[in-house]
Amino acid sequence: MWVTDPGRVAGAAANVWDATVGGGLADLRPTPAAIVDQGPQRTVLRYLTSEQATVHHDLPVLLVPPLAAPASCFDLRRGCSLAEHLLAAGHPTYLLEYGRIGWSDRDLGLEHWIDEVIPTAVRRVSADRGGAPVQLLGWCLGGIMALLALAADAQLPVNAVAVVASPFDLHRVRLLSPLRPVANLAGGGLLSPIYRLLGGAPAPLVKRAFQLTSLDKQLTKPLAVLLHLDDRESLAQMEAVDAFTDRMHAYPGRTFGQLYHRFFRVNDLADGRFELGERELDLRDVRAPVLAVAGDRDVLAPRAAVHHVSDLLAGAAEVRLATGPGGHLGVLTGRSAVSTTWRWIDEFFAS
């Protein structure tokens, strides 16, 4: 215990001072980036490299976040940033941001992102790199939308897709099982009037829902802080996760309705086919190699739900499966991700 060690007591005191008076422990400055393209619900940024940095890889990486979550999931804090890591490894790295969602966006459906936002971002990144094919990296719903966009348009200049914590079979998410019978009452109509009235799922509700997926950590957080009071890195990581959670966005109404009825209630994506407007998208049409990484403590996207994608990608050149330490966010950008998830991504994109 740190309280018996004078040196650790001094470190704990310094951490408390910096956390409460000194402005915080986590360096939350975003990695410098420049805008290369903008459009409705689409800002494409290119992360900037220092003059001393060397680009070792020809193919650009485009980071695709999920809806409602801030894009800082890929750039959590200095020293624990996937974007920073990719740049240091010599990857030309880009980020897709959707911006804040308001009432005026309530009629936007998944097809807006699958048919317009992601494909346009891919083409802009490719053009910015002289026509080079793009390597996609999506977290959670971002990974699902990236694969559906590729299934919808086989001509997209995509070389490979890595998805992290992206569930493709929601019946394997035990956290949601008790909610499904209630959701199916009245044909799923109990919740529909609410999200239509609100224009979607408001940001505060999204934040609370995300926190509930790690309720045990929320309840034990005061104890965790006390036990790690001398561990600056642990405290900085907790602070960065709190800052990330505080910046959650809203879901637009129509998109939320599609996710609720199609993904959650009837598990429409579990067979790899998804109706979008008058078309049916089929993940068997994806030809690019795919890496799917799951977290061993992820209750929102458990390993079975994530790795189920391997049964759906019959046409892919290759499908790699991996399981790393951490929960839903931790497997992407936890302190152990650098030696697990990030290493697997490096190896996959280099192959």
Side-chain angles (χ1 to χ4, degrees):
M1 186 69 176
W2 60 266
V3 295
T4 62
D5 184 328
R8 296 176 69 182
V9 169
N15 289 340
V16 171
W17 175 268
D18 289 342
T20 57
V21 180
L25 299 170
D27 187 346
L28 301 179
R29 291 174 300 156
T31 301
I35 295 175
V36 298
D37 179 62
Q38 280 186 301
Q41 293 78 44
R42 183 189 77 249
T43 299
V44 180
L45 301 106
R46 179 180 64 245
Y47 286 109
L48 303 178
T49 57
S50 65
E51 293 181 359
Q52 295 78 24
T54 303
V55 175
H56 299 293
H57 303 279
D58 294 330
L59 305 186
V61 175
L62 174 61
L63 305 176
V64 183
L67 299 173
S72 59
C73 57
F74 297 114
D75 192 25
L76 193 66
R77 65 182 176 94
R78 295 290 178 93
C80 198
S81 162
L82 179 52
E84 194 177 57
H85 168 82
L86 291 169
L87 285 176
H91 291 279
T93 306
Y94 296 74
L95 173 69
L96 171 61
E97 280 193 342
Y98 309 123
R100 293 198 173 274
I101 299 297
W103 172 260
S104 61
D105 302 313
R106 64 191 180 278
D107 292 329
L108 294 176
L110 278 171
E111 56 271 27
H112 175 64
W113 281 270
I114 292 171
D115 287 338
E116 299 293 336
V117 174
I118 293 177
T120 302
V122 168
R123 293 189 177 97
R124 295 293 186 271
V125 170
S126 176
D128 195 60
R129 296 298 301 176
V134 178
Q135 297 174 312
L136 297 179
L137 172 52
W139 175 55
C140 189
L141 181 61
I144 294 173
M145 295 193 303
L147 284 178
L148 287 174
L150 193 52
D153 186 355
Q155 302 305 312
L156 277 180
V158 171
N159 176 263
V161 184
V163 300
V164 180
S166 300
F168 288 84
D169 183 357
L170 292 190
H171 282 172
R172 304 192 190 199
V173 182
R174 287 182 293 178
L175 176 71
L176 300 178
S177 297
L179 304 176
R180 193 164 285 108
V182 178
N184 285 328
L185 290 174
L190 293 181
L191 185 60
S192 299
I194 300 175
Y195 69 73
R196 287 171 182 161
L197 177 65
L198 297 175
L205 181 61
V206 174
K207 173 185 174 180
R208 297 304 177 197
F210 184 80
Q211 290 175 323
L212 285 175
T213 64
S214 57
L215 182 60
D216 56 336
K217 289 185 177 180
Q218 296 296 320
L219 295 175
T220 60
K221 183 180 176 182
L223 178 60
V225 170
L226 180 62
L227 292 175
H228 295 89
L229 210 54
D230 64 321
D231 186 342
R232 195 175 187 87
E233 276 295 298
S234 290
L235 297 179
Q237 187 73 3
M238 293 184 214
E239 185 180 293
V241 171
D242 286 344
F244 166 82
T245 306
D246 285 340
R247 294 196 293 268
M248 288 289 179
H249 304 319
Y251 277 107
R254 186 160 174 266
T255 294
F256 183 82
Q258 289 170 312
L259 295 173
Y260 171 60
H261 290 288
R262 305 281 297 284
F263 280 31
F264 172 55
R265 286 189 52 243
V266 301
N267 201 24
D268 200 19
L269 194 59
D271 64 355
R273 296 188 292 272
F274 186 76
E275 290 186 6
L276 194 66
E278 298 181 354
R279 300 166 298 151
E280 182 180 73
L281 307 184
D282 194 330
L283 292 181
R284 290 176 298 182
D285 295 330
V286 172
R287 297 289 180 258
V290 175
L291 166 68
V293 181
D296 62 1
R297 297 189 301 277
D298 191 345
V299 297
L300 190 58
R303 176 169 55 188
V306 174
H307 288 178
H308 177 67
V309 73
S310 64
D311 297 331
L312 312 177
L313 295 169
E318 178 189 8
V319 180
R320 297 187 193 181
L321 303 177
T323 303
H328 197 56
L329 180 62
V331 68
L332 175 74
T333 189
R335 294 172 65 193
S336 298
V338 63
S339 59
T340 54
T341 302
W342 297 2
R343 176 171 59 83
W344 298 326
I345 291 171
D346 289 341
E347 294 170 351
F348 176 65
F349 284 158
S351 62

